[in-house]
């Protein structure tokens, strides 16, 4: 839930059609989500074998200086003797829970087209470029972090206004907003917020 305020001006009109520019501000507060999961669990398994390397020349027993002697180059491979068996170790995991809360503030600007279907009814549509300011706060156990990001976006809207008087009307509109994703990291926990969504608005319209 939030609030939206917009102002527009028509720069061209012909008959019942008009074209103009719209500037909008919106704010959405106290969006929350909660998630829990398991981390750190797993199994470590080990195997053992013995490799035998064949050298084309010395050293020979009982020479213990092997510094300058290496097996022949590739594709030579050592003879491998499996020593058999394997051992495993189970690592216990732990449960973690994270809470994410965020606020989103928007500034949108773009063209708007209006069709005056009736003396008291206007139908309109528009596109807008969005500048979004996201304030994220994530908590996990005793850890806490906040981060503010500026995210680009675009939006499209369709709506209608029914005027009760010459200057005051009731407005409804719906649209879709694409907003770039925001993320914040806290230790091994990474939280991501996707604000892209369908939006519906109802309110009062004033005409001057």
């Amino acid at each position: 839930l939030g609030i939206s305020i917009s102002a527009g001006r028509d720069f061209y009109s012909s008959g019942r059609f008009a074209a103009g520019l719209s500037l909008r501000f919106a704010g959405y507060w106290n969006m929350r989500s909660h998630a829990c999961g398991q981390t750190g669990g797993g199994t470590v398994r080990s195997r053992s074998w013995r490799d035998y390397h064949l050298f084309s020349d010395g050293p020979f027993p009982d020479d213990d200086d092997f510094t300058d002697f290496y097996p022949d180059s590739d594709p030579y491979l050592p003879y491998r003797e499996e020593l058999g068996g394997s051992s495993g170790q189970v690592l216990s995991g732990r449960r973690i829970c994270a809470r994410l809360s965020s606020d989103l503030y928007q500034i949108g600007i773009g063209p708007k087209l209006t069709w005056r279907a009736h003396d008291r009814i206007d139908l309109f549509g528009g596109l807008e470029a969005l500048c979004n300011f996201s304030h994220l706060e994530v908590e996990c156990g005793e850890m806490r972090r906040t981060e503010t990001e500026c995210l680009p976006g675009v939006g499209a809207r369709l709506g209608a206004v029914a005027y009760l008087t010459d200057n005051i009307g009731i407005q409804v509109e719906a649209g879709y907003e694409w907003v770039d994703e925001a993320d914040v990291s806290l230790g091994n926990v990474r939280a991501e917020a996707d604000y892209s969504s369908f939006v519906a608005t109802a309110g009062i319209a004033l005409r001057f």
Side-chain angles (χ1 to χ4, degrees):
L1 298 175
I3 188 171
S4 176
I5 301 173
S6 63
R9 179 178 175 83
D10 291 338
F11 292 100
Y12 171 82
S13 61
S14 176
R16 291 185 175 271
F17 289 91
L21 190 66
S22 177
L23 177 66
R24 186 177 63 87
F25 170 81
Y28 308 94
W29 299 279
N30 205 27
M31 294 178 282
R32 297 177 178 269
S33 61
H34 180 269
C36 291
Q38 198 79 8
T39 184
T43 302
V44 176
R45 189 168 298 278
S46 61
R47 300 170 56 195
S48 59
W49 58 81
R50 181 184 293 118
D51 287 344
Y52 295 88
H53 295 271
L54 178 63
F55 293 86
S56 58
D57 54 14
F60 303 99
D62 301 312
D63 189 344
D64 59 1
D65 182 10
F66 291 85
T67 305
D68 298 325
F69 296 90
Y70 303 93
D72 294 337
S73 61
D74 290 340
Y76 171 80
L77 294 175
Y79 167 72
R80 173 164 293 180
E81 178 188 8
E82 297 282 350
L83 298 182
S86 63
S87 60
Q89 179 184 5
V90 178
L91 303 177
S92 60
R94 64 186 181 93
R95 183 173 176 80
I96 60 170
C97 291
R99 292 175 298 276
L100 174 68
S101 62
S102 62
D103 301 329
L104 182 69
Y105 304 94
Q106 290 181 329
I107 299 175
I109 186 171
K112 180 180 178 181
L113 299 177
T114 303
W115 177 44
R116 295 183 171 89
H118 188 271
D119 291 342
R120 293 192 179 274
I121 297 177
D122 287 355
L123 304 178
F124 64 87
L127 299 174
E128 57 185 3
L130 298 175
C131 179
N132 305 274
F133 298 93
S134 166
H135 179 73
L136 290 170
E137 180 178 298
V138 61
E139 297 181 36
C140 183
E142 306 240 342
M143 299 184 295
R144 179 179 176 183
R145 184 178 177 182
T146 60
E147 188 168 313
T148 301
E149 295 186 49
C150 180
L151 309 170
V154 292
R157 296 173 180 272
L158 295 173
V161 182
Y163 287 98
L164 306 177
T165 68
D166 290 340
N167 303 103
I168 300 176
I170 296 176
Q171 175 175 309
V172 292
E173 64 178 50
Y176 181 79
E177 297 174 353
W178 173 86
V179 181
D180 197 12
E181 295 178 349
D183 61 77
V184 59
S185 297
L186 182 63
N188 293 326
V189 176
R190 180 175 176 270
E192 186 176 271
D194 184 357
Y195 296 106
S196 299
S197 61
F198 289 95
V199 180
T201 307
I204 298 176
L206 302 177
R207 178 169 59 184
F208 301 97

